[in-house]
Amino acid sequence: MASSSSLCEDQFLCPICLDVFVKPVSTPCGHNFCMSCITSYWDNTPVWQCPICKEDFSKRPNLKVNTFISELVSHVRSLRVTNIPIQSAPRQQVDSDVRCDVCTATQTVAVKSCLECLTSYCDGHLEPHYVASGLKRHMLVDPVENLVNKVCRKHRRLLRLFCRNDNSVLCDFCVDGAHANHDVVPVQRGYAEKTALLGKSEAKVQRMIQERLQKVQNTRTLVKQSEVKTKEVVAHSTRDLTELGSEIKKIQAELIRAVEEKQKSGEEQAEAFICAMESELCDLKATAKNMEKLKQTKDPLSFLSSYPNQSSLPHTMDLSTFSFTRHLEIQHMHRYFQSSISQLRALLLQINEEISKCSGGAENASNDATLVYMQQYEVNVVLDTDTAHPLLSLSADGKQVRYNTGTGLWGNQVLSPNMFTVHLAVLGRRGFSSGRFYFEVYVGQKTEWCLGVATASIQRVGEIVRNSNPGLWAIWFLLDKFETFSSPGVSVHVGKVERVGVFVDYDGGEISFFDVVRATPIHTFTECFFMEELYPYFNPCDNEYGSNLAPMVIMPVCTE
């Protein structure tokens, strides 16, 4: 092995990131790079070319970690122990803000930090590390501030690397263990990436804050406007109903007066007729008496002499010219008012129903309005066959997906790198990184299914862990209840649905699921932070519970 005098870190710097190699790989032309650096470089160039000598490769090289160089890098890093002989001359002063942890009076500037002791030492307190045999083996590095938080507790080495897969900082030895196949980059590069990402997140948060402040202000303004309008409606309605009540009372009084007058007039007319009839009856009775007397005269001469006077009839009225119909007129008026009052009662019932909608029926009206609002953001979703699990069958138009029991064994199939291998899932072709979008899915009588949206980087190979951050926001229906994918066993809704609406407000950080038929909410994810594109996610599930072979169908919004 080369000695410390013949090796230095400068010989093991990546030409791309200019930092010590992390998982070094060698190109066919013999140049060395960090695996993540050369991979990213080739991902962003149209040809596969060496960044140093510019040699072109006919196909992208299949790179493997160069274990020899990797071991040399580890060795070079381990040689950071400064094996300086004891000398009486004062050491060179170090320009550093790190202070000696041992000094008690005035803290002197530290010249070295020990990764074993997790302590920074000044020139004087460092001396034992060059004298004591046990301390000579300790690893000394340039002074490091807040050393305890910058050293791997397991391997006692500086945390110099960042794992993109686990979002954790690592030392050199951690990479060769549990993170051997992970995407690892130098801390500075990870810091730069996450700083940029944090900047975007911060800008997004500030935008969300401003949107919510504006929303609160608008809502308060609308509440004040609603308060003013409510007072106007109450005042006008009270006035109108009071006036209507007064008019009804006037009509009531006028009706009573008119009916009573008509009755009185009829009574007077009838009384006059009765008086006339009584007078005529007296005259007729007198005439009848004279006729009876004349009828008893036996002397022809006296009979004939008295006949012209006694046989003449008195003047009488024509009875057909008089009839009493006031009761019929009043009965007709009664029927008319009964009909009018019935219509008025029907109108009052309609008014009462409208009032009920504004009070007791407010929730249903709100849900209907919410559904109509979401549906205006409908997008055309088409399923991506490249992402579909081999046991799924898609329709030719990409609008339906079902579990295919006839596919059989698929272990020998060539799998697409974008394909789900465990979850019976498929994504939509189009991703969304801003704004709002909505789509509807018919699930009918299926007994199990999962529906939602997923990030572009969602895990495709292997089982997706159902935790709080799997990159999947979805609801899982099982027999008669719903739970979220991230919280198994926790019911969020009960009952079956036939048609589900999925609404995503990317910038607002919300995802809502709606029962379209009943216009009722199923579940809403709130306060979400999306850092990449979101794709519609479909999982029709297998037939474990029976009656589940029907497809999930993407449906257009019904405008009726």
Side-chain angles (χ1 to χ4, degrees):
M1 182 66 69
S3 67
S4 59
S5 61
S6 61
L7 293 176
C8 66
E9 285 193 5
D10 292 341
Q11 296 174 287
F12 298 97
L13 296 181
C14 172
I16 295 178
C17 67
L18 302 179
D19 204 341
V20 179
F21 288 127
V22 177
K23 298 170 71 174
V25 295
S26 299
T27 59
C29 59
H31 292 103
N32 303 311
F33 306 91
C34 296
M35 177 176 283
S36 60
C37 293
I38 190 63
T39 300
S40 299
Y41 177 80
W42 281 341
D43 287 341
N44 296 296
T45 56
V47 295
W48 300 301
Q49 185 183 72
C50 175
I52 303 300
C53 65
K54 305 302 180 181
E55 179 178 344
D56 293 332
F57 308 115
S58 58
K59 64 178 182 178
R60 184 164 179 164
N62 185 17
L63 302 177
K64 301 292 184 181
V65 175
N66 190 319
T67 56
F68 177 73
I69 297 179
S70 181
E71 291 175 359
L72 285 178
V73 170
S74 298
H75 180 67
V76 168
R77 286 172 174 165
S78 68
L79 293 179
R80 289 179 179 171
V81 178
T82 309
N83 190 14
I84 304 176
I86 300 176
Q87 54 184 356
S88 57
R91 304 185 191 276
Q92 182 180 359
Q93 294 297 320
V94 178
D95 184 14
S96 171
D97 292 333
V98 182
R99 300 295 171 173
C100 176
D101 295 326
V102 183
C103 293
T104 56
T106 303
Q107 285 190 317
T108 311
V109 174
V111 294
K112 291 292 179 180
S113 294
C114 178
L115 300 186
E116 298 295 328
C117 304
L118 297 181
T119 305
S120 296
Y121 297 101
C122 65
D123 199 43
H125 289 120
L126 182 65
E127 204 67 38
H129 280 74
Y130 303 118
V131 178
S133 59
L135 297 179
K136 283 184 177 181
R137 291 192 295 270
H138 287 196
M139 178 175 287
L140 300 178
V141 296
D142 290 335
V144 178
E145 189 176 6
N146 194 18
L147 183 62
V148 174
N149 297 327
K150 297 181 179 179
V151 173
C152 176
R153 297 182 180 180
K154 181 178 180 181
H155 300 116
R156 294 289 178 173
R157 298 178 67 83
L158 280 178
L159 299 170
R160 299 167 48 86
L161 306 172
F162 175 73
C163 177
R164 287 170 170 167
N165 299 73
D166 296 334
N167 286 322
S168 59
V169 289
L170 315 171
C171 73
D172 303 337
F173 291 166
C174 292
V175 178
D176 298 328
H179 303 269
N181 296 320
H182 288 187
D183 187 3
V184 177
V185 297
V187 164
Q188 287 300 323
R189 182 170 178 180
Y191 171 76
E193 293 175 354
K194 292 301 181 182
T195 302
L197 201 59
L198 182 62
K200 293 181 180 178
S201 299
E202 185 180 13
K204 182 177 180 180
V205 169
Q206 291 299 326
R207 184 172 66 254
M208 292 174 65
I209 291 173
Q210 293 302 319
E211 289 175 351
R212 280 153 179 76
L213 288 174
Q214 186 64 43
K215 191 72 173 180
V216 169
Q217 183 178 353
N218 294 342
T219 302
R220 286 176 175 168
T221 301
L222 292 175
V223 168
K224 290 182 180 179
Q225 293 177 357
S226 177
E227 182 180 4
V228 173
K229 196 64 180 178
T230 298
K231 291 180 179 179
E232 291 179 357
V233 170
V234 170
H236 293 166
S237 300
T238 302
R239 181 195 63 198
D240 293 342
L241 290 174
T242 301
E243 292 177 355
L244 181 60
S246 299
E247 291 180 5
I248 290 176
K249 288 182 179 179
K250 289 180 182 179
I251 292 174
Q252 179 184 6
E254 183 65 23
L255 172 64
I256 294 173
R257 184 193 63 77
V259 171
E260 288 180 348
E261 286 183 358
K262 186 171 283 294
Q263 176 64 21
K264 184 177 179 181
S265 173
E267 290 177 355
E268 292 175 351
Q269 186 179 3
E271 188 63 28
F273 175 74
I274 291 173
C275 291
M277 290 298 102
E278 289 178 347
S279 176
E280 288 186 357
L281 284 172
C282 290
D283 293 340
L284 289 173
K285 288 179 179 180
T287 301
K289 186 175 181 181
N290 292 331
M291 288 183 176
E292 182 65 27
K293 184 178 179 181
L294 180 60
K295 183 178 176 183
Q296 294 175 357
T297 302
K298 303 299 183 182
D299 182 17
L301 184 60
S302 297
F303 178 83
L304 294 173
S305 298
S306 302
Y307 181 80
N309 297 324
Q310 302 297 332
S311 62
S312 61
L313 298 175
H315 178 72
T316 58
M317 293 175 58
D318 184 1
L319 296 179
S320 63
T321 61
F322 179 81
S323 62
F324 190 81
T325 60
R326 289 294 185 272
H327 65 292
L328 296 177
E329 294 175 6
I330 293 175
Q331 185 176 358
H332 171 74
M333 185 177 294
H334 179 241
R335 289 173 181 168
Y336 170 77
F337 272 97
Q338 274 189 327
S339 175
S340 299
I341 291 173
S342 177
Q343 295 177 10
L344 181 59
R345 284 176 176 167
L347 183 59
L348 291 174
L349 181 61
Q350 292 180 4
I351 294 175
N352 191 50
E353 289 177 351
E354 289 298 321
I355 294 174
S356 297
K357 289 180 179 180
C358 292
S359 56
E363 182 177 355
N364 291 335
S366 176
N367 287 339
D368 289 338
T370 299
L371 181 59
V372 171
Y373 165 77
M374 295 189 304
Q375 288 176 332
Q376 68 177 317
Y377 294 101
E378 180 188 15
V379 295
N380 181 31
V381 175
V382 179
L383 301 178
D384 185 359
T385 55
D386 289 341
T387 64
H389 188 282
L391 291 180
L392 295 183
S393 177
L394 275 59
S395 61
D397 60 357
K399 293 291 186 179
Q400 300 185 28
V401 57
R402 70 171 74 232
Y403 174 66
N404 190 352
T405 57
T407 302
L409 297 175
W410 53 274
N412 295 326
Q413 294 187 23
V414 178
L415 302 181
S416 164
N418 296 324
M419 181 182 292
F420 288 94
T421 61
V422 173
H423 283 256
L424 298 171
V426 61
L427 300 179
R429 292 181 187 172
R430 178 186 174 190
F432 302 87
S433 58
S434 64
R436 304 176 180 91
F437 64 94
Y438 173 87
F439 59 95
E440 290 185 4
V441 181
Y442 178 79
V443 293
Q445 300 302 313
K446 288 178 66 63
T447 54
E448 185 182 10
W449 47 268
C450 187
L451 177 66
V453 293
T455 59
S457 62
I458 185 173
Q459 180 179 335
R460 314 292 175 87
V461 179
E463 186 76 21
I464 303 176
V465 179
R466 297 184 66 178
N467 56 28
S468 60
N469 188 28
L472 174 61
W473 295 264
I475 53 174
W476 197 310
F477 174 74
L478 185 62
L479 295 177
D480 61 352
K481 64 181 179 180
F482 290 84
E483 60 187 43
T484 63
F485 182 86
S486 57
S487 300
V490 180
S491 178
V492 296
H493 190 75
V494 178
K496 281 194 171 185
V497 300
E498 291 186 0
R499 190 167 177 144
V500 183
V502 183
F503 174 73
V504 178
D505 183 351
Y506 190 100
D507 300 322
E510 288 190 0
I511 302 173
S512 299
F513 298 86
F514 241 68
D515 180 347
V516 177
V517 176
R518 297 183 180 88
T520 55
I522 299 174
H523 182 71
T524 299
F525 294 96
T526 59
E527 298 182 357
C528 305
F529 287 92
F530 309 122
M531 306 309 299
E532 52 184 307
E533 283 188 319
L534 297 180
Y535 290 80
Y537 172 93
F538 299 77
N539 186 336
C541 299
D542 56 21
N543 199 40
E544 179 181 358
Y545 298 97
S547 303
N548 200 42
L549 294 179
M552 299 174 73
V553 184
I554 303 169
M555 303 291 290
V557 170
C558 182
T559 57
E560 295 181 358

